[in-house]
Amino acid sequence: MTHPEPTPEPGRPVVLRGGTVLPMDDACSILGNTDVLVVDDRIAAVGPALEVPEGTQEIDARGGIVMPGMIDTHRHMWQTAMRGYGADWTLTQYFVWYYLEHGRTFRPEDVAAGNRLAALEALEAGVTTTVDWSHGLQSVDHAEAAVQALRSVPGRFVLAYGNIQAAPWEWTADPAVRDFLTRHRDAADDMLGLQLAFDVTGDPVFPEKAAFEAARELGLPVTTHAGVWGATNDDGIRLMHEHGFMTPETVYVHAATLTPDSYHRIAATGGSISVSTESEQSAGQGYPPTWQVRRHGIPVSLSMDTSVWWSGDLFSAMRTTLGADRSREHFEAHLSGETVTHVALRAKDVVQWATRGGALALGRDDLGSLEPGKKADVVLLRNDDSPVSFPVLHPFGHVAFQAQRGDVHTVLVDGRVVKHAHKLVGVDLGAVRREIESSVEHLLSTLGEEVWAQGMNPDLPDAQLLDNPYQYTEYKSDSTRAAREEVFEEHLATER
Ligand SMILES: [Zn+2]
């Protein structure tokens, strides 16, 4: 039987007792029956049967896995009020809907509502740091709303400032935007960082140069959608490189349709790639690139892109990234008549990408691992009611292929318990729901029912049913089911 544990109080030390700990240290250790002690905002100790300060709150981690909080390096949080709306979209439909047709419809309060829900969704799934790739900031009011929402949720975030309604060389030159960026750069802390987010089209004139110069002047890292089929390509990377704008803190999102030349430039300048496997698979930015990126030694982090398709949950990112990488490896081998007998990408690699990979991308040495002195962002996976929670034989495999958000028992951010016993702590989800409902209502009424329904249900492409040589009746491939039945009826009639 289980005893309900009291929710730990802020300010008191916390110890997670007796779990299988994946500290994500250099050795990728697996520590059985180990405690993790958190004092203030830091990991104080990791080890067996730890002595703890008086008054420490105990969390039973037996049977569970303790790991660092996960880090999502690219998510358009402002789009979360449209959860699942684009389930059947391609990237083209996404561009048309947000960039050309309806992105302007979002008010500051819609950005805030989306951000708040996205932030809670991340925390609930054990994602303790999220980069808000916020390219819906068509005014500084939108940006203030985005920041206010992020600050209202006790997770770590990075606001990556962007605006798809204007060119990057335009909005980065806007004095109001400069003022916002300067203020929030100076106010940036542990919990909320700042980046600039824009894409490079490959125009030989390189108009984005001014935006890179603005980032340099402000001392802000740049994150950019690179190697996206039909949108960004090698030319953009080359221009960035030739002008000296590729730096170790640059994050290249997707990087899926690039040639080895671009990967060499990224590797040589020390940047990292944010892989959004689920996005690349459905939307069509290119084949999820880890199978080639890892051959270039480029650091990888994982990301979820947008909840307009899928939820902000890195368990599914880890699972699908392993699958896509291995799928490609087998496929390439089969094309040359070979068999892969040993896969190159391991479960521990994707767990590492989801934790330390994100920390590296953000230049945060203090995140991504459970080692004394690091920031206390901790996740406990424990679900006593789940038949999938045991046995835990291969802990990295368990995280990557077995666990899911419902197994996240406890989450600490900066030493504070934000989820406990499978519930977010101190969150009025009802208020968040009402905020989202009013946002949906605004969007729906602005678009009108018909446009709304059309947007959600894109036309199907023409499909052709292939001829089947084993069919005993004769009919053509464009037969509909009705036509098939007619043929069958005729067949029966001639039999009679
Ligand atoms: Zn994106």
Side-chain angles (χ1 to χ4, degrees), residues 451-493:
V451 173
W452 176 272
Q454 276 169 0
M456 192 158 43
N457 300 290
D459 293 339
L460 271 175
D462 293 336
Q464 202 185 19
L465 194 64
L466 300 178
D467 284 324
N468 182 339
Y470 299 108
Q471 206 73 41
Y472 68 92
T473 53
E474 274 187 36
Y475 56 85
K476 294 297 170 197
S477 59
D478 57 354
S479 305
T480 60
R481 174 175 284 273
R484 277 178 169 222
E485 282 167 4
E486 204 176 299
V487 171
F488 187 61
E489 291 297 326
E490 275 170 25
H491 180 75
L492 285 182

Coordinates of all heavy atoms in Angstrom, one line a residue, residues 451-493:
V451 N -13.5 29.0 -42.2 CA -12.0 29.1 -42.4 C -11.3 28.2 -41.4 O -10.3 27.5 -41.6 CB -11.6 30.5 -42.3 CG1 -10.0 30.7 -42.3 CG2 -12.2 31.3 -43.5
W452 N -11.9 28.3 -40.2 CA -11.3 27.5 -39.1 C -11.3 26.0 -39.4 O -10.3 25.3 -39.3 CB -12.1 27.7 -37.8 CG -11.8 26.9 -36.6 CD1 -12.2 25.7 -36.3 CD2 -10.8 27.3 -35.6 NE1 -11.6 25.2 -35.1 CE2 -10.8 26.2 -34.6 CE3 -10.1 28.4 -35.3 CZ2 -10.0 26.3 -33.5 CZ3 -9.3 28.5 -34.2 CH2 -9.3 27.4 -33.3
A453 N -12.4 25.5 -39.9 CA -12.5 24.1 -40.2 C -11.6 23.7 -41.4 O -11.0 22.7 -41.4 CB -14.0 23.7 -40.5
Q454 N -11.6 24.6 -42.4 CA -10.7 24.4 -43.6 C -9.3 24.3 -43.1 O -8.5 23.4 -43.6 CB -10.8 25.5 -44.6 CG -12.0 25.3 -45.5 CD -12.2 26.6 -46.3 OE1 -11.5 27.6 -46.2 NE2 -13.2 26.6 -47.2
G455 N -8.9 25.2 -42.3 CA -7.5 25.2 -41.8 C -7.1 23.9 -41.1 O -5.9 23.5 -41.2
M456 N -8.0 23.3 -40.4 CA -7.7 22.1 -39.6 C -7.8 20.9 -40.5 O -7.2 19.8 -40.1 CB -8.7 22.0 -38.5 CG -8.3 21.0 -37.5 SD -9.1 21.2 -35.8 CE -10.8 21.7 -36.2
N457 N -8.4 21.0 -41.6 CA -8.6 19.8 -42.5 C -8.2 20.0 -43.9 O -9.0 20.2 -44.8 CB -10.1 19.4 -42.5 CG -10.6 19.1 -41.1 OD1 -10.3 18.1 -40.5 ND2 -11.4 20.0 -40.5
P458 N -6.9 20.0 -44.1 CA -6.3 20.2 -45.5 C -6.8 19.1 -46.4 O -7.1 18.0 -46.0 CB -4.8 20.2 -45.3 CG -4.6 19.6 -43.9 CD -5.8 19.7 -43.1
D459 N -6.9 19.5 -47.7 CA -7.4 18.6 -48.7 C -6.4 17.4 -48.8 O -5.2 17.5 -48.6 CB -7.4 19.3 -50.1 CG -8.4 20.3 -50.2 OD1 -9.4 20.3 -49.4 OD2 -8.3 21.2 -51.1
L460 N -7.0 16.3 -49.1 CA -6.2 15.1 -49.3 C -5.6 15.1 -50.7 O -6.2 15.6 -51.7 CB -7.0 13.8 -49.2 CG -7.2 13.2 -47.9 CD1 -8.2 12.0 -48.0 CD2 -5.9 12.6 -47.3
P461 N -4.3 14.7 -50.9 CA -3.8 14.6 -52.2 C -4.5 13.5 -53.0 O -5.1 12.6 -52.4 CB -2.3 14.2 -52.0 CG -2.3 13.6 -50.7 CD -3.4 14.1 -49.9
D462 N -4.4 13.5 -54.3 CA -5.0 12.4 -55.1 C -4.2 11.1 -54.8 O -3.0 11.1 -54.8 CB -4.8 12.7 -56.6 CG -5.7 13.9 -57.1 OD1 -6.7 14.2 -56.3 OD2 -5.3 14.6 -58.0
A463 N -5.0 10.1 -54.6 CA -4.4 8.8 -54.3 C -4.8 7.8 -55.4 O -5.9 7.9 -55.9 CB -4.9 8.3 -52.9
Q464 N -3.9 7.0 -55.7 CA -4.2 6.0 -56.8 C -4.1 4.6 -56.2 O -3.1 4.3 -55.6 CB -3.2 6.2 -57.9 CG -3.8 5.6 -59.2 CD -2.8 5.7 -60.3 OE1 -1.6 5.8 -60.1 NE2 -3.3 5.6 -61.6
L465 N -5.1 3.9 -56.4 CA -5.0 2.5 -55.9 C -4.3 1.7 -57.0 O -4.6 1.7 -58.1 CB -6.5 1.9 -55.8 CG -6.6 0.7 -55.0 CD1 -6.2 0.8 -53.5 CD2 -8.1 0.2 -55.0
L466 N -3.3 1.0 -56.5 CA -2.4 0.2 -57.4 C -3.1 -1.0 -58.0 O -3.9 -1.7 -57.3 CB -1.1 -0.2 -56.8 CG -0.3 1.0 -56.2 CD1 1.0 0.5 -55.5 CD2 0.1 2.0 -57.4
D467 N -2.8 -1.4 -59.2 CA -3.3 -2.6 -59.8 C -2.7 -3.8 -59.0 O -1.5 -3.8 -58.6 CB -2.8 -2.8 -61.2 CG -3.6 -1.9 -62.1 OD1 -4.9 -1.8 -61.9 OD2 -3.1 -1.4 -63.1
N468 N -3.5 -4.8 -58.7 CA -3.0 -6.0 -58.0 C -3.1 -7.2 -58.9 O -4.1 -7.6 -59.4 CB -4.0 -6.2 -56.8 CG -3.5 -7.4 -56.0 OD1 -2.8 -8.2 -56.4 ND2 -3.9 -7.4 -54.7
P469 N -1.9 -7.7 -59.3 CA -1.8 -8.8 -60.3 C -2.5 -10.1 -59.8 O -2.8 -11.0 -60.6 CB -0.3 -9.0 -60.5 CG 0.3 -8.5 -59.3 CD -0.5 -7.4 -58.8
Y470 N -2.7 -10.2 -58.5 CA -3.3 -11.4 -58.0 C -4.8 -11.4 -57.9 O -5.5 -12.3 -57.5 CB -2.7 -11.7 -56.6 CG -1.2 -11.9 -56.7 CD1 -0.4 -10.9 -56.2 CD2 -0.7 -13.0 -57.3 CE1 1.0 -11.0 -56.3 CE2 0.7 -13.1 -57.4 CZ 1.5 -12.1 -56.9 OH 2.9 -12.3 -57.0
Q471 N -5.4 -10.2 -58.4 CA -6.9 -10.1 -58.3 C -7.5 -11.0 -59.4 O -7.0 -11.1 -60.5 CB -7.2 -8.7 -58.6 CG -8.5 -8.3 -58.0 CD -8.4 -8.1 -56.5 OE1 -7.5 -7.6 -56.0 NE2 -9.4 -8.6 -55.8
Y472 N -8.5 -11.8 -59.1 CA -9.1 -12.7 -60.1 C -10.1 -12.0 -60.9 O -10.6 -12.6 -61.9 CB -9.6 -14.0 -59.4 CG -10.8 -13.8 -58.6 CD1 -12.1 -13.9 -59.1 CD2 -10.7 -13.5 -57.2 CE1 -13.2 -13.8 -58.3 CE2 -11.8 -13.3 -56.4 CZ -13.1 -13.5 -57.0 OH -14.2 -13.3 -56.2
T473 N -10.6 -10.8 -60.6 CA -11.5 -10.1 -61.4 C -10.7 -9.0 -62.1 O -9.7 -8.5 -61.5 CB -12.7 -9.5 -60.7 OG1 -12.2 -8.8 -59.6 CG2 -13.6 -10.6 -60.2
E474 N -11.2 -8.5 -63.2 CA -10.5 -7.4 -63.9 C -11.1 -6.0 -63.6 O -12.3 -5.9 -63.9 CB -10.5 -7.7 -65.4 CG -9.4 -8.5 -65.8 CD -9.3 -8.6 -67.3 OE1 -9.6 -7.7 -68.0 OE2 -9.0 -9.8 -67.7
Y475 N -10.4 -5.1 -63.1 CA -10.9 -3.7 -63.0 C -9.6 -2.8 -62.9 O -8.5 -3.3 -62.6 CB -11.8 -3.5 -61.9 CG -11.3 -3.9 -60.5 CD1 -10.6 -3.0 -59.8 CD2 -11.6 -5.2 -60.0 CE1 -10.1 -3.4 -58.6 CE2 -11.1 -5.5 -58.8 CZ -10.4 -4.7 -58.0 OH -9.9 -5.0 -56.8
K476 N -9.9 -1.6 -63.2 CA -8.7 -0.7 -63.2 C -8.4 0.0 -61.9 O -9.3 0.0 -61.0 CB -9.0 0.4 -64.3 CG -9.0 -0.2 -65.7 CD -7.7 -0.8 -66.0 CE -7.8 -1.6 -67.3 NZ -6.6 -2.4 -67.5
S477 N -7.3 0.6 -61.8 CA -6.8 1.1 -60.5 C -7.6 2.3 -60.0 O -7.6 2.6 -58.8 CB -5.3 1.5 -60.6 OG -5.2 2.5 -61.6
D478 N -8.3 3.0 -60.9 CA -9.1 4.1 -60.4 C -10.5 3.7 -59.9 O -11.3 4.5 -59.6 CB -9.2 5.2 -61.5 CG -9.8 4.7 -62.8 OD1 -10.1 3.5 -62.8 OD2 -10.1 5.5 -63.7
S479 N -10.7 2.4 -59.8 CA -12.0 1.9 -59.3 C -12.2 2.4 -57.8 O -11.3 2.4 -57.0 CB -12.0 0.4 -59.2 OG -11.7 -0.1 -60.5
T480 N -13.4 2.8 -57.6 CA -13.7 3.1 -56.2 C -14.2 1.8 -55.6 O -14.4 0.8 -56.3 CB -14.8 4.2 -56.1 OG1 -15.9 3.6 -56.8 CG2 -14.4 5.5 -56.8
R481 N -14.5 1.9 -54.3 CA -15.0 0.7 -53.6 C -16.3 0.3 -54.3 O -16.6 -0.9 -54.5 CB -15.2 1.0 -52.2 CG -15.9 -0.2 -51.4 CD -15.9 0.1 -49.9 NE -14.6 -0.1 -49.3 CZ -14.2 -1.3 -48.8 NH1 -15.0 -2.3 -48.9 NH2 -13.0 -1.4 -48.3
A482 N -17.1 1.3 -54.6 CA -18.4 1.0 -55.2 C -18.2 0.3 -56.6 O -18.9 -0.7 -56.9 CB -19.2 2.3 -55.4
A483 N -17.3 0.8 -57.3 CA -17.0 0.1 -58.6 C -16.6 -1.3 -58.5 O -17.0 -2.2 -59.2 CB -16.0 1.0 -59.4
R484 N -15.7 -1.5 -57.4 CA -15.3 -2.8 -57.1 C -16.5 -3.8 -56.9 O -16.5 -4.9 -57.3 CB -14.4 -2.9 -55.9 CG -13.0 -2.5 -56.1 CD -12.4 -2.5 -54.7 NE -10.9 -2.4 -54.9 CZ -10.0 -3.2 -54.2 NH1 -10.4 -4.0 -53.3 NH2 -8.8 -3.0 -54.4
E485 N -17.4 -3.2 -56.1 CA -18.5 -4.0 -55.7 C -19.4 -4.4 -56.9 O -19.9 -5.5 -57.0 CB -19.3 -3.3 -54.6 CG -18.6 -3.5 -53.2 CD -19.2 -2.6 -52.2 OE1 -20.1 -1.8 -52.5 OE2 -18.6 -2.5 -51.1
E486 N -19.4 -3.4 -57.8 CA -20.2 -3.6 -59.0 C -19.6 -4.8 -59.8 O -20.3 -5.7 -60.3 CB -20.2 -2.3 -59.8 CG -21.3 -2.1 -60.8 CD -21.2 -0.8 -61.4 OE1 -21.2 0.3 -60.7 OE2 -21.1 -0.7 -62.7
V487 N -18.3 -4.7 -60.0 CA -17.6 -5.8 -60.7 C -17.9 -7.1 -60.0 O -18.2 -8.1 -60.7 CB -16.1 -5.5 -60.7 CG1 -15.4 -6.7 -61.3 CG2 -15.9 -4.2 -61.6
F488 N -17.8 -7.1 -58.7 CA -18.0 -8.3 -58.0 C -19.5 -8.9 -58.2 O -19.7 -10.1 -58.4 CB -17.8 -8.1 -56.5 CG -17.8 -9.3 -55.6 CD1 -16.9 -10.3 -55.9 CD2 -18.7 -9.4 -54.6 CE1 -16.9 -11.4 -55.1 CE2 -18.7 -10.6 -53.8 CZ -17.8 -11.6 -54.1
E489 N -20.4 -7.9 -58.1 CA -21.8 -8.3 -58.4 C -22.0 -8.9 -59.7 O -22.6 -10.0 -59.9 CB -22.7 -7.1 -58.2 CG -22.9 -6.5 -56.8 CD -23.5 -7.5 -55.8 OE1 -24.4 -8.3 -56.2 OE2 -23.0 -7.6 -54.7
E490 N -21.4 -8.3 -60.8 CA -21.4 -8.8 -62.1 C -20.9 -10.2 -62.2 O -21.4 -11.1 -62.8 CB -20.7 -7.9 -63.1 CG -21.4 -6.7 -63.6 CD -20.5 -5.7 -64.3 OE1 -19.5 -6.1 -64.8 OE2 -20.9 -4.5 -64.3
H491 N -19.8 -10.3 -61.5 CA -19.1 -11.6 -61.5 C -20.0 -12.7 -60.9 O -20.2 -13.8 -61.5 CB -17.8 -11.5 -60.6 CG -17.0 -12.8 -60.5 ND1 -16.3 -13.2 -61.6 CD2 -16.9 -13.6 -59.5 CE1 -15.7 -14.4 -61.2 NE2 -16.1 -14.6 -59.9
L492 N -20.7 -12.3 -59.8 CA -21.6 -13.3 -59.2 C -22.7 -13.6 -60.2 O -23.2 -14.7 -60.3 CB -22.2 -12.6 -57.9 CG -21.2 -12.6 -56.7 CD1 -22.0 -12.0 -55.5 CD2 -20.8 -14.0 -56.4
A493 N -23.3 -12.5 -60.8 CA -24.4 -12.7 -61.8 C -24.0 -13.7 -62.9 O -24.8 -14.6 -63.3 CB -24.8 -11.4 -62.3

